[in-house]
PDB file of all heavy atoms in Angstrom:
ATOM      1  N   ILE A   8      93.475  99.279  90.586  1.00  0.00           N
ATOM      2  CA  ILE A   8      92.461  99.201  89.532  1.00  0.00           C
ATOM      3  C   ILE A   8      92.901 100.012  88.315  1.00  0.00           C
ATOM      4  O   ILE A   8      92.774  99.568  87.162  1.00  0.00           O
ATOM      5  CB  ILE A   8      91.104  99.708  90.053  1.00  0.00           C
ATOM      6  CG1 ILE A   8      90.588  98.788  91.159  1.00  0.00           C
ATOM      7  CG2 ILE A   8      90.087  99.818  88.921  1.00  0.00           C
ATOM      8  CD1 ILE A   8      89.352  99.316  91.868  1.00  0.00           C
ATOM      9  N   TYR A  58      95.362 112.940 102.459  1.00  0.00           N
ATOM     10  CA  TYR A  58      96.039 112.052 103.398  1.00  0.00           C
ATOM     11  C   TYR A  58      97.411 112.604 103.775  1.00  0.00           C
ATOM     12  O   TYR A  58      97.834 112.531 104.935  1.00  0.00           O
ATOM     13  CB  TYR A  58      96.206 110.653 102.790  1.00  0.00           C
ATOM     14  CG  TYR A  58      94.962 109.814 102.770  1.00  0.00           C
ATOM     15  CD1 TYR A  58      94.640 109.038 101.659  1.00  0.00           C
ATOM     16  CD2 TYR A  58      94.097 109.777 103.860  1.00  0.00           C
ATOM     17  CE1 TYR A  58      93.486 108.252 101.626  1.00  0.00           C
ATOM     18  CE2 TYR A  58      92.951 108.996 103.845  1.00  0.00           C
ATOM     19  CZ  TYR A  58      92.660 108.239 102.718  1.00  0.00           C
ATOM     20  OH  TYR A  58      91.528 107.466 102.691  1.00  0.00           O
ATOM     21  N   LEU A  67     104.671 115.490 113.003  1.00  0.00           N
ATOM     22  CA  LEU A  67     105.217 116.357 114.049  1.00  0.00           C
ATOM     23  C   LEU A  67     105.470 115.565 115.330  1.00  0.00           C
ATOM     24  O   LEU A  67     106.328 115.933 116.135  1.00  0.00           O
ATOM     25  CB  LEU A  67     104.237 117.508 114.316  1.00  0.00           C
ATOM     26  CG  LEU A  67     103.975 118.444 113.123  1.00  0.00           C
ATOM     27  CD1 LEU A  67     102.915 119.477 113.483  1.00  0.00           C
ATOM     28  CD2 LEU A  67     105.261 119.135 112.684  1.00  0.00           C
ATOM     29  N   SER A 113      99.129  98.187 114.258  1.00  0.00           N
ATOM     30  CA  SER A 113      98.988  98.793 115.582  1.00  0.00           C
ATOM     31  C   SER A 113      97.546  98.862 116.076  1.00  0.00           C
ATOM     32  O   SER A 113      97.270  99.517 117.082  1.00  0.00           O
ATOM     33  CB  SER A 113      99.585 100.206 115.568  1.00  0.00           C
ATOM     34  OG  SER A 113      98.972 100.999 114.566  1.00  0.00           O
ATOM     35  N   PHE A 133     105.420  95.766 100.681  1.00  0.00           N
ATOM     36  CA  PHE A 133     106.283  96.924 100.473  1.00  0.00           C
ATOM     37  C   PHE A 133     107.334  96.594  99.423  1.00  0.00           C
ATOM     38  O   PHE A 133     107.570  97.387  98.491  1.00  0.00           O
ATOM     39  CB  PHE A 133     106.954  97.317 101.789  1.00  0.00           C
ATOM     40  CG  PHE A 133     107.626  98.659 101.760  1.00  0.00           C
ATOM     41  CD1 PHE A 133     107.032  99.767 102.343  1.00  0.00           C
ATOM     42  CD2 PHE A 133     108.859  98.827 101.139  1.00  0.00           C
ATOM     43  CE1 PHE A 133     107.648 101.008 102.318  1.00  0.00           C
ATOM     44  CE2 PHE A 133     109.482 100.061 101.103  1.00  0.00           C
ATOM     45  CZ  PHE A 133     108.875 101.159 101.696  1.00  0.00           C
ATOM     46  N   TRP A 186     113.178 103.399 103.211  1.00  0.00           N
ATOM     47  CA  TRP A 186     112.294 102.703 104.136  1.00  0.00           C
ATOM     48  C   TRP A 186     112.489 101.193 104.043  1.00  0.00           C
ATOM     49  O   TRP A 186     112.377 100.484 105.051  1.00  0.00           O
ATOM     50  CB  TRP A 186     110.835 103.070 103.859  1.00  0.00           C
ATOM     51  CG  TRP A 186     110.454 104.424 104.353  1.00  0.00           C
ATOM     52  CD1 TRP A 186     110.192 105.532 103.608  1.00  0.00           C
ATOM     53  CD2 TRP A 186     110.312 104.827 105.721  1.00  0.00           C
ATOM     54  NE1 TRP A 186     109.886 106.599 104.420  1.00  0.00           N
ATOM     55  CE2 TRP A 186     109.945 106.196 105.720  1.00  0.00           C
ATOM     56  CE3 TRP A 186     110.442 104.171 106.940  1.00  0.00           C
ATOM     57  CZ2 TRP A 186     109.722 106.907 106.890  1.00  0.00           C
ATOM     58  CZ3 TRP A 186     110.223 104.882 108.116  1.00  0.00           C
ATOM     59  CH2 TRP A 186     109.866 106.233 108.079  1.00  0.00           C
TER      60      TRP A 186
END
Side-chain angles (χ1 to χ4, degrees):
I8 295 172
Y58 284 138
L67 298 176
S113 57
F133 192 102
W186 284 109

